[in-house]
């Protein structure tokens, strides 16, 4: 047996001993590591010694490290400087307090070292933090504004009245639009509306019979006969205890104000002297380019409403005070960059705010509701936003923006009553007193519960300036439920004016390098466009006679869709499918919803053949509400291993917010429709109410006020210095989502 050799024998006999032959490992020149603390000294030294290779390597190193670290960006540097200055000020204050305590001969109470030094609950001057933070949430119909410390916001109509030769009622066709005014009322609104309305009425009768409700065969005849034969009752003005307080104007027309904002604008008589015309700068969540022919005038009216609301509602009458105030501005989930950047620029430069912060609507709603994961369904006056929120972030592919809301229900309700021969046949929503009356009637009579639907006799009082009050007695039957049922059958709504003047006054944002539109868009929203082109032809506008320059860019071999680059997976000329139609996982753990909607379409299978860009520009994004919610949740859940858990979590956290969501029994009816469309999860689907009995209309504003009171942990503030140096590029660093 051979004995074990020693370590020394192995080195000598086996040739394992390391020897040095003084040869280099390589003939390439070796460059020593540079001093990381001083690049430029080494560069100059290399130039001075003629070492071009060292110079080139140093320049390459500097370029490779440029803006690769957070502390190299202006936004982060300013935040660090602000924190450093705050710590210095706190240290000076502590030293001063210690010296004062020693001088007075009293012990100084040291602060707890475990507490965060940055957490201070007071503003400068000892004021409560948030008392100098404005929260602004604009809408198509109302503006909600207030301080972060306010319990509830001030609500101001988003309208301005300006001197004009004619009022909007005298200069526009009546709304709802009459197509055949000389014919009977059943033909006023065209054959398409009559067909949709009669189909909905028949489906409603079937549903009531299924629910064991009593259905009279002649209910519609009772309504039309009463309404067509009952005249109004005249009430003298001195006998009317609820007469309207109209906005008083000076006797001398030359002394009348040039403009009036908010509630007072809606109370100016249509026949006033001088005449005033109402303008709504925001319509359907967009700039109102249909009523404006000049961009400067559109922006002037928009910012004038904000300025007057800050002065009148918040008492900040002098602009010099505004430089001490910060502003949290709420933007839509699917926003337009041109609009957002213009507002930030105006806030920082003309309004003079100290700083501005942005937050998206659905994220603000989650802050207000105090939930971590939910599907937010925000039904406003003229748009409906649907987005899924998880862990303080909006899931980008789930964002949906539909162009219908509470105003469509108002117009639909009036159209249905006129169809049934309402005895006030001159109803015109372009007249101010009729518009306010229609909003009151909708709030009183519309419902989503068929339990108490029957032929009922009701009354309303028509109060017009300079006229005696007229009391109308009328009957309604199923109009009170069929009008809001348009949320689930949007083909009943009038979409003819929703794209009027689109991108004719304010151009859309485009990428600087590629020229493609760079406004955010989601896969769920693309599925909505595809659905409209397949199922709702009335929401697709006809092409213009002379096509304008489209935003799609053609190359010799390929044609782009005009979509963001990350959504253009293939660039060939064949029709491409939208990525919204994601297939179900192979293991089948996440089933897709099935069932049929009111139109007979498959509610779960969203066929997505993406149309061309010019068709998208002419398409009004609408979809039945329950299908849109399931579409959003599907794209939020995805197809990964966590998809089933996320799907169940979001289905159980559907929350309806917004002013139009206050329609009685809307949540219960929506839950029923969702379960019918997605029968695989009957128990998981829940439509939850807003917590703590908060008003759904102000929940977004409330959440933004919570966000605005976050101290030192909120790095989203944009200051004047940052915006002056970087412009809109600063939003890439400041937004808490992908800008």
């Amino acid at each position: 047996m051979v004995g074990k050799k020693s370590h020394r024998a192995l080195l000598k006999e086996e040739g394992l001993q390391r020897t040095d032959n003084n040869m280099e490992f390589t003939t390439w020149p070796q460059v020593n590591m540079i001093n990381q603390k001083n690049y430029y000294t080494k560069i100059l030294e290399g130039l001075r010694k003629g070492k071009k290779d060292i110079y080139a390597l140093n320049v390459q190193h500097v370029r490779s490290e440029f803006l690769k670290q957070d502390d190299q960006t202006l936004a982060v540097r300013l935040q660090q400087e602000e924190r450093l200055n705050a710590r210095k000020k706190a240290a000076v204050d502590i030293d001063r307090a210690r010296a004062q305590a020693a001088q007075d001969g009293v012990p100084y109470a040291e602060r707890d070292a475990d507490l965060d030094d940055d957490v201070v609950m007071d503003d400068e001057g000892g004021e409560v933090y948030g008392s100098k933070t404005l929260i602004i949430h604009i809408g198509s119909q109302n503006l909600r504004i207030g301080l972060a410390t306010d319990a509830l916001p001030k609500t101001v109509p988003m309208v301005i009245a300006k001197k004009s030769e004619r009022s909007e009622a005298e200069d526009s066709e009546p709304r709802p639009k009459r197509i055949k005014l000389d014919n009977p009322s059943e033909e006023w609104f065209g054959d398409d509306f009559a067909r949709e309305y009669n189909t909905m009425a028949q489906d409603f009768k079937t549903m009531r019979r299924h629910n064991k409700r009593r259905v009279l065969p002649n209910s519609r005849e009772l309504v039309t006969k009463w309404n067509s034969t009952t005249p109004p009752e005249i009430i003298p003005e001195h006998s009317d205890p609820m007469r309207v307080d109209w906005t008083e104007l000076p006797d001398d027309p030359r002394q009348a104000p040039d403009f009036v904002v908010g509630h007072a604008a809606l109370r100016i008589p249509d026949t006033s002297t001088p005449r005033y015309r109402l303008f709504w700068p925001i319509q359907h969540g967009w700039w109102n380019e249909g009523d404006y022919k000049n961009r400067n005038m559109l922006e002037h009216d928009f910012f004038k409403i904000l300025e007057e609301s800050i002065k009148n509602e918040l008492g900040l009458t002098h602009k010099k005070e505004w430089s001490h105030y910060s502003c949290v501005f709420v933007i839509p989930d699917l926003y337009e960059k041109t609009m957002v950047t213009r507002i930030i620029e105006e806030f920082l430069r003309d309004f003079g705010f100290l700083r501005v912060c942005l937050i998206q609507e659905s994220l603000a709603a989650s802050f207000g509701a105090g939930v971590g994961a939910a599907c937010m369904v925000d039904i406003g006056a003229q748009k409906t936003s649907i987005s899924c929120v998880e862990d303080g972030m909006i899931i980008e592919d789930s964002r949906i923006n539909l162009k219908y809301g509470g105003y469509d229900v108002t117009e639909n309700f009036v159209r249905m009553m006129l169809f049934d021969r309402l005895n006030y046949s001159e109803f015109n929503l372009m007249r101010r007193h009729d518009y306010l009356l229609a909003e009151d009637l909708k709030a009183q009579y519309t419902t989503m519960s068929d339990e108490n639907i029957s032929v009922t006799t009701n009354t309303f009082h028509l109060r017009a300036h300079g006229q005696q009050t007229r009391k109308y007695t009328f009957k309604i039957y199923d109009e009170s439920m069929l009008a809001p049922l348009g949320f689930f059958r949007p083909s009943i709504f009038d979409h003819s004016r929703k794209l009027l003047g689109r991108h004719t006054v304010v151009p859309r944002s485009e990428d600087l390098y590629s020229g493609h539109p760079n406004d955010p868009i989601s896969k769920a929203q693309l599925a909505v466009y595809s659905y409209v082109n397949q199922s709702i032809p009335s929401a697709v506008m006809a092409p213009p006679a002379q096509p304008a320059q489209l935003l799609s860019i053609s190359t010799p071999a390929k044609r782009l869709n005009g979509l963001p680059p990350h959504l253009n997976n293939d660039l060939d000329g064949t029709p491409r499918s939208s990525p919204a139609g994601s297939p179900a996982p192979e293991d089948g753990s996440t089933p897709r919803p099935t069932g049929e909607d009111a139109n007979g379409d498959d509610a779960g299978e969203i066929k997505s053949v993406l149309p061309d860009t010019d068709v998208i520009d002419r398409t009004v994004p609408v979809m039945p509400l329950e299908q849109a919610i399931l579409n959003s949740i599907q794209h939020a859940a995805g197809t990964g291993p966590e998809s089933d858990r996320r799907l169940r979590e979001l289905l159980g956290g559907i929350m309806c917010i917004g002013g139009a969501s206050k329609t009685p029994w809307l949540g219960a009816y929506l839950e029923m429709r969702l379960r019918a469309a997605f029968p695989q999860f009957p128990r998981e689907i829940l439509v939850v109410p807003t917590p703590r009995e908060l008003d759904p209309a102000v929940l977004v504003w409330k959440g933004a006020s919570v966000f605005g009171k976050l101290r030192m942990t909120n790095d989203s503030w944009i200051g004047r210095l940052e915006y002056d140096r970087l412009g809109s590029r600063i939003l890439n660093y400041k937004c808490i989502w992908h800008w």
Side-chain angles (χ1 to χ4, degrees), residues 229-360:
T229 58
T230 305
E233 177 185 354
I234 305 299
I235 298 178
E237 185 176 0
H238 63 272
S239 300
D240 184 9
M242 302 296 292
R243 56 181 178 270
V244 178
D245 294 330
W246 300 98
T247 300
E248 297 183 1
L249 298 175
D251 296 333
D252 187 358
R254 295 173 297 179
Q255 298 179 359
D258 293 332
F259 64 90
V260 182
V261 171
H263 294 284
L266 293 176
R267 291 301 184 183
I268 298 178
D270 292 273
T271 57
S272 63
T273 305
R275 289 286 197 276
Y276 281 84
R277 183 185 179 93
L278 297 186
F279 290 91
W280 304 80
I282 303 295
Q283 292 284 272
H284 309 290
W286 293 326
W287 292 116
N288 183 8
E289 301 176 70
D291 294 338
Y292 286 89
K293 305 304 179 184
N294 185 286
R295 179 177 180 179
N296 292 333
M297 189 61 65
L298 169 60
E299 294 178 352
H300 174 270
D301 289 354
F302 173 77
F303 291 114
K304 181 59 67 175
I305 295 174
L306 297 182
E307 180 180 344
E308 293 299 314
S309 300
I310 293 174
K311 291 180 179 178
N312 300 331
E313 301 296 333
L314 303 183
L316 303 176
T317 56
H318 301 288
K319 272 194 172 182
K320 294 181 179 179
E321 307 175 55
W322 298 4
S323 60
H324 302 289
Y325 284 79
S326 304
C327 176
V328 176
F329 186 73
V330 183
I331 65 174
D333 302 334
L334 288 174
Y335 49 86
E336 293 190 318
K337 291 188 176 182
T338 302
M339 180 178 179
V340 174
T341 54
R342 182 67 186 92
I343 291 174
I344 295 177
E345 181 181 2
E346 187 75 11
F347 280 177
L348 291 175
R349 294 179 178 171
D350 185 57
F351 283 29
F353 288 144
L354 178 64
R355 53 186 184 174
V356 177
C357 178
L358 300 178
I359 185 173
Q360 293 171 293

Side-chain angles (χ1 to χ4, degrees), residues 4 96 135 138 184 189 197 234-235 253 299 307 318 326 378 412 452 495 497 557 566 582 591 608 639 685:
K4 183 179 181 181
R96 185 181 295 111
I135 313 296
I138 62 170
F189 309 108
Y197 184 29
I234 305 299
I235 298 178
E299 294 178 352
E307 180 180 344
H318 301 288
S326 304
D378 188 354
N412 205 28
N452 298 320
H495 307 293
R497 291 181 52 87
H566 65 279
S582 304
S608 54
T639 57
I685 295 178

